[in-house]
Amino acid sequence: MLYPIPPSEKKKAVQYLIDNIPTETLEKVAECMKEDSKNWGVLNHHGFGTYVRNLLRKGEFDWGPIDLDKVWIGLVEKAAKKKLGKAVFTK
């Protein structure tokens, strides 16, 4: 993508992830985030990250590989917090 991703598109992507990632999976994400809030996405880039980026492409959020790499972690974090509630993420 040549231009920044509009906030409205990111918001749609977050909702898409909420609707398409199983609650149990988001609960596991929450656990990973609690254990290592700064590195959980990097540690899961190839397995879970690939799943999320492919899911976003399937939902027509194909912003190119570089932009998807930049935003997928934040989108998943927002989706998990919105679906599970922010209290789940405190130690």
Side-chain angles (χ1 to χ4, degrees), residues 8-33:
S8 61
E9 284 299 303
K10 287 183 181 179
K11 187 174 181 179
K12 288 178 190 175
V14 167
Q15 188 58 52
Y16 179 79
L17 294 176
I18 289 169
D19 294 341
N20 289 281
I21 296 177
T23 301
E24 298 80 24
T25 302
L26 291 177
E27 289 170 346
K28 288 179 184 176
V29 167
E31 287 300 315
C32 290
M33 287 172 63

Side-chain angles (χ1 to χ4, degrees), residues 1-6 9-10 60-68 70-71:
M1 174 168 257
L2 297 174
Y3 305 100
I5 301 166
E9 284 299 303
K10 287 183 181 179
E60 299 184 11
F61 299 98
D62 190 358
W63 300 314
I66 294 170
D67 285 328
L68 283 173
K70 289 179 183 177
V71 301

Side-chain angles (χ1 to χ4, degrees), residues 69-90:
D69 276 352
K70 289 179 183 177
V71 301
W72 79 268
I73 295 169
L75 296 175
V76 169
E77 288 176 352
K78 287 179 183 176
K81 287 177 181 177
K82 187 173 179 183
K83 187 166 188 173
L84 302 174
K86 291 181 182 182
V88 172
F89 298 89
T90 57

Side-chain angles (χ1 to χ4, degrees), residues 16 20 53-62:
Y16 179 79
N20 289 281
R53 292 188 302 277
N54 286 335
L55 185 62
L56 288 166
R57 287 183 189 99
K58 183 179 176 185
E60 299 184 11
F61 299 98
D62 190 358

